[in-house]
Amino acid sequence: DAGVIQSPRHEVTEMGQEVTLRCKPISGHNSLFWYRQTMMRGLELLIYFNNNVPIDDSGMPEDRFSAKMPNASFSTLKIQPSEPRDSAVYFCASSSDRVVLFFGSGTQLSVL
Amino acid sequence: QKEVEQNSGPLSVPEGAIASLNCTYSDRGSQSFFWYRQYSGKSPELIMFIYSNGDKEDGRFTAQLNKASQYVSLLIRDSQPSDSATYLCAVNRNAGNMLTFGGGTRLMVKP
């Protein structure tokens, strides 16, 4: 299995632009997580899906952030409009048991 | 108080020594405890997990859990320079809940 696949690996954008991050979980995994990692705040859970349904989005910082999982093999995290404080590494992770997480390589987002 | 606390380090140990990484958590209802390793610029990867009080060994790694003291640790025996990374402690309340991560401890193993 190729593991969790995220794209793009790097994204540089200007403040106010829309950013879309993509994730393909491991086949057969029914849970998907979006995390954000910064030096100041560490690894923070943004949202968690189980069987394509959002279960907990309490970690989403504000309405500018939205996430979707239209099917079992694809999820997006969208930021609109983006701000410099959104700069971070965004990780997607999937799991078959909601306990052991397998992380993707991450997207390094820089908002100028 | 943070839910999961770790000393950010860096913790520096000589090659061949035992590295001891510590983690405390605030939620007494926590049931599962995990150690992830993250190399610089890479994603976290699971090293091991522990559910019961006591020790759990896997190769050079030993996880120790003391629920009464709300304390979990990771021992790395015969430390190697390749063990140099940030080690993240994570806990969750039960299988239906999400992992909460600590800030991580940076370990440096010097040849």
Side-chain angles (χ1 to χ4, degrees):
Chain A
D1 198 317
V4 177
I5 300 173
Q6 290 186 246
S7 64
R9 287 297 308 275
H10 303 276
E11 176 80 31
V12 180
T13 190
E14 292 187 348
M15 182 174 65
Q17 296 298 306
E18 178 179 295
V19 175
T20 300
L21 310 181
R22 297 173 175 79
C23 176
K24 175 179 167 54
I26 293 172
S27 177
H29 284 191
N30 59 358
S31 298
L32 184 139
F33 306 79
W34 282 101
Y35 282 89
R36 177 172 68 176
Q37 188 174 40
T38 61
M39 288 293 292
M40 289 297 294
R41 301 175 67 89
L43 201 58
E44 301 175 284
L45 178 66
L46 300 177
I47 187 169
Y48 149 52
F49 292 87
N50 192 51
N51 292 323
N52 311 339
V53 176
I55 302 301
D56 187 336
D57 65 355
S58 60
M60 296 286 262
E62 46 196 278
D63 292 345
R64 297 185 297 105
F65 286 69
S66 62
K68 294 182 179 180
M69 192 165 186
N71 57 61
S73 59
F74 184 66
S75 177
T76 60
L77 178 67
K78 186 175 294 187
I79 308 172
Q80 167 63 19
S82 58
E83 297 183 3
R85 59 195 170 115
D86 301 331
S87 298
V89 180
Y90 290 81
F91 287 107
C92 174
S94 71
S95 176
S96 60
D97 59 8
R98 289 179 283 176
V99 173
V100 178
L101 272 58
F102 294 85
F103 285 82
S105 299
T107 295
Q108 174 76 61
L109 174 64
S110 297
V111 183
L112 306 177
Chain B
Q1 181 188 12
K2 291 184 179 178
E3 290 187 53
V4 182
E5 299 220 42
Q6 297 180 255
N7 188 318
S8 62
L11 172 65
S12 182
V13 301
E15 183 175 356
I18 296 175
S20 177
L21 305 162
N22 304 317
C23 171
T24 59
Y25 58 95
S26 60
D27 185 354
R28 283 196 172 273
S30 298
Q31 296 291 323
S32 310
F33 307 86
F34 303 80
W35 283 101
Y36 281 79
R37 177 177 61 201
Q38 185 174 25
Y39 291 112
S40 180
K42 302 296 185 181
S43 58
E45 55 180 344
L46 181 68
I47 299 174
M48 61 190 306
F49 55 87
I50 186 168
Y51 297 141
S52 304
N53 275 330
D55 295 0
K56 179 181 178 182
E57 187 174 315
D58 184 359
R60 295 187 297 113
F61 299 96
T62 299
Q64 298 176 318
L65 175 62
N66 184 324
K67 288 187 177 181
S69 300
Q70 296 176 244
Y71 176 96
V72 58
S73 64
L74 179 70
L75 302 179
I76 306 175
R77 289 182 299 281
D78 189 23
S79 296
Q80 301 297 310
S82 58
D83 295 326
S84 298
T86 295
Y87 290 80
L88 301 165
C89 172
V91 305
N92 77 346
R93 196 173 176 88
N94 57 51
N97 283 24
M98 295 73 67
L99 286 181
T100 300
F101 282 84
T105 298
R106 188 159 73 95
L107 173 66
M108 298 172 57
V109 181
K110 297 190 173 181

